[in-house]
Amino acid sequence: GQQVMQIPQYQHVQEGEDFTTYCNSSTTLSNIQWYKQRPGGHPVFLIQLVKSGEVKKQKRLTFQFGEAKKNSSLHITATQTTDVGTYFCAERILQTSYDKVIFGPGTSLSVIP
Amino acid sequence: KAGVTQTPRYLIKTRGQQVTLSCSPISGHRSVSWYQQTPGQGLQFLFEYFSETQRNKGNFPGRFSGRQFSNSRSEMNVSTLELGDSALYLCATTFDGTGSSYEQYFGPGTRLTVT
């Protein structure tokens, strides 16, 4: 079935360093969603990308959808301790009248102050 | 407006028992999806309800069931609990679960521990 993979599984960075997580699929993705889950919290929707090569920015976060729509990345510039958490990519599977969201395994980010 | 609420927040049960979890969506949201989150398997889709009907189901055994009420509140039930059912159970809601309303809002989850 549909599956998205993420790398790395874990990432430890010094505060102020940049961070990137990658999401990959063997099949063409309809879209890609990104979520953030803080430790002890619940996933929070960040963004959805739909178009090939699409790039969107949210303050220090840059989201990119690959030209072939088989990969995506989330890049955080100058990490802060508030960026700590697990970042999930997900594909929203479009059905006739409803959607199903399939999540990747996530990348856990630790920021060392 | 108020967010998604889930009750209870924490639950401890023993093997063989059953459990019922509740999810109240954001006002106006009619689609409720349930997910199981474990360290080993990540976030896995259980099922989705809209207008009191289950529209979509993940790959979970029949011990996992759910329902939705006319006010869009949803419950999920797990019967004959197993140790492996220990997990964080999350519900997520959208307006109607279709392409035009794709942003899911998650509740805080119910942490179930089976001993």
Side-chain angles (χ1 to χ4, degrees):
Chain A
Q2 296 93 349
Q3 198 171 17
V4 288
M5 302 307 296
Q6 281 185 256
I7 53 170
Q9 187 176 2
Y10 302 96
Q11 184 81 58
H12 305 275
V13 299
Q14 286 286 142
E15 188 172 17
E17 290 182 339
D18 291 357
F19 159 77
T20 305
T21 173
Y22 300 91
C23 183
N24 300 295
S25 171
S26 58
T27 59
T28 302
L29 299 164
S30 303
N31 53 73
I32 197 78
Q33 296 184 339
W34 286 94
Y35 293 77
K36 176 185 177 182
Q37 184 174 21
R38 289 201 162 108
H42 57 273
V44 174
F45 175 87
L46 294 176
I47 207 162
Q48 174 171 284
L49 305 175
V50 178
K51 299 176 183 176
S52 168
E54 189 170 11
V55 178
K56 288 188 177 179
K57 292 189 176 184
Q58 290 179 352
K59 297 182 180 178
R60 294 178 295 103
L61 278 60
T62 301
F63 304 85
Q64 188 165 4
F65 203 6
E67 293 290 343
K69 299 182 74 172
K70 288 188 176 182
N71 56 73
S72 178
S73 64
L74 158 57
H75 179 83
I76 302 178
T77 303
T79 55
Q80 300 174 358
T81 53
T82 53
D83 296 325
V84 166
T86 301
Y87 292 85
F88 295 95
C89 65
E91 181 188 14
R92 178 169 57 89
I93 309 296
L94 301 171
Q95 308 275 10
T96 303
S97 60
Y98 53 86
D99 302 335
K100 179 167 72 173
V101 179
I102 305 298
F103 283 83
T107 294
S108 177
L109 172 63
S110 297
V111 178
I112 305 163
Chain B
K1 50 187 174 181
V4 180
T5 58
Q6 290 188 246
T7 56
R9 293 294 310 279
Y10 303 92
L11 207 48
I12 300 175
K13 292 284 189 178
T14 56
R15 276 182 300 176
Q17 287 186 314
Q18 75 164 16
V19 66
T20 299
L21 313 180
S22 179
C23 172
S24 293
I26 291 172
S27 178
H29 282 197
R30 298 165 63 194
S31 168
V32 178
S33 297
W34 287 90
Y35 295 86
Q36 181 196 64
Q37 186 174 33
T38 59
Q41 298 298 318
L43 267 164
Q44 290 192 292
F45 174 79
L46 279 157
F47 30 63
E48 187 250 359
Y49 285 86
F50 178 80
S51 289
E52 303 177 63
T53 301
Q54 185 184 92
R55 298 194 299 187
N56 205 356
K57 191 175 190 302
N59 297 322
F60 278 82
R63 299 184 298 106
F64 292 82
S65 63
R67 60 177 175 169
Q68 187 179 35
F69 301 93
S70 58
N71 62 358
S72 295
R73 187 178 71 86
S74 177
E75 289 182 347
M76 68 163 281
N77 184 276
V78 188
S79 62
T80 320
L81 284 166
E82 300 177 359
L83 295 178
D85 297 333
S86 295
L88 179 66
Y89 290 88
L90 294 155
C91 73
T93 76
T94 65
F95 177 67
D96 60 8
T98 66
S100 61
S101 61
Y102 52 78
E103 183 170 345
Q104 290 190 108
Y105 293 83
F106 279 83
T110 294
R111 174 73 63 184
L112 172 65
T113 302
V114 182
T115 62

